[in-house]
Amino acid sequence: MSEPVPPLAPARTKRVRNPAETRRTILEAATRLIAQQGSDAVSVSAVAHLAKVNRGTAYQHFQSRDELVAAAMEWVSDRLMRAVFGAPEEVVERQVEDVDIPETMYRLVRFATENADVCRSWLLQILASPNPTADPFWREFQGSLERFTQTELAQEHVDAEAMSVLVLSGIFLWPVWVRAHAADEGDRAKLALRMSREILRLSMFGSMKPEMFPEVVARLRTPISPDDEVDIAGGR
């Protein structure tokens, strides 16, 4: 009598690799590490450990820390672009006169509120970059403001680059206040609205009554020349 044939062992399920998902996981971990410890703390090995992926797999995607940091910042820039302006491949040079500025500012503040750490990390990288216009979001944000300053809608002699740094710095630091004062999602939304409204108020009216400061108004109406050492708030 023949021995009974034992049942076959269940076949192992082969893990399906998803390179795009792995890359996204690595980039998420990299942005968290940059936000927590700065870009100097980033290494491919450290990010692989944080992302819970094999170090060799991480090196297949990013061969050096510099490549990884650059890719992480590009990833944040892409998310900013999509949240504020729409899909990068669909963004064209728009007529700035047709832009809904309040809505655009609110989208930016909401994204910064929900992604505070990565936004601040991105901004610090941009501020330290010798070529910030290589970044898609900065190029679109600063470029839009530059185009706006050339229209009849803008005040004279607005420095678009300095204004871009001022606006983004304020917006990307505001979440520190939000984190300390918001109890829930509703509070965060209200605080995001407060910041977007104040940015608009500052852009629209400023904090000083022009008629009370005629000398300052006169100075601001005069373009800065390379050898100009005038302090706009006082004398020489």
Side-chain angles (χ1 to χ4, degrees):
M1 188 174 178
S2 60
E3 294 289 334
V5 179
L8 294 174
R12 290 185 178 179
T13 302
K14 187 175 181 180
R15 185 177 180 182
V16 178
R17 293 184 178 182
N18 186 335
E21 181 66 20
T22 300
R23 178 183 175 85
R24 185 189 65 79
T25 300
I26 295 170
L27 289 173
E28 283 185 343
T31 56
R32 290 204 307 273
L33 192 60
I34 293 171
Q36 293 167 3
Q37 302 180 27
S39 58
D40 291 342
V42 171
S43 69
V44 178
S45 297
V47 170
H49 177 75
L50 185 61
K52 295 182 171 55
V53 301
N54 183 276
R55 186 173 63 175
T57 300
Y59 273 106
Q60 289 177 0
H61 288 271
F62 306 101
Q63 298 181 0
S64 69
R65 69 168 300 279
D66 290 342
E67 181 183 343
L68 178 54
V69 170
M73 292 301 98
E74 288 173 10
W75 186 64
V76 175
S77 178
D78 180 76
R79 293 176 63 198
L80 274 163
M81 178 72 81
R82 292 175 187 277
V84 178
F85 297 116
E89 60 272 14
E90 298 176 3
V91 172
V92 296
E93 187 168 304
R94 300 150 295 146
Q95 293 294 321
V96 291
E97 296 91 339
D98 298 331
V99 173
D100 187 336
I101 296 176
E103 176 63 24
T104 300
M105 284 295 100
Y106 183 65
R107 288 197 299 267
L108 176 56
V109 175
R110 281 306 304 269
F111 182 87
T113 301
E114 300 301 328
N115 301 274
D117 294 338
V118 296
C119 283
R120 286 198 303 278
S121 298
W122 173 87
L123 181 62
L124 290 174
Q125 293 293 317
I126 289 296
L127 294 179
S129 171
N131 183 26
T133 56
D135 181 90
F137 179 75
W138 171 267
R139 185 169 59 248
E140 180 62 25
F141 186 88
Q142 195 268 337
S144 294
L145 185 52
E146 183 70 52
R147 294 194 299 274
F148 179 79
T149 66
Q150 296 168 8
T151 70
E152 294 182 353
L153 301 174
Q155 295 276 5
E156 294 180 329
H157 313 310
V158 174
D159 187 326
E161 188 174 69
M163 180 61 74
S164 296
V165 172
L166 179 65
V167 171
L168 290 177
S169 297
I171 289 174
F172 288 173
L173 284 175
W174 179 247
V176 178
W177 177 276
V178 172
R179 187 174 292 170
H181 294 83
D184 53 31
E185 174 63 23
D187 284 349
R188 288 194 293 273
K190 290 177 182 177
L191 288 168
L193 180 60
R194 280 180 57 191
M195 171 54 81
S196 60
R197 285 174 63 90
E198 190 60 17
I199 289 291
L200 286 170
R201 191 202 62 77
L202 183 61
S203 299
M204 185 68 70
F205 303 111
S207 59
M208 302 162 66
K209 292 182 178 180
E211 64 272 18
M212 301 300 293
F213 301 90
E215 293 184 2
V216 175
V217 171
R219 292 179 188 277
L220 290 173
R221 286 178 175 167
T222 303
I224 296 176
S225 63
D227 57 347
D228 191 357
E229 296 179 356
V230 173
D231 178 353
I232 63 171
R236 289 185 179 275

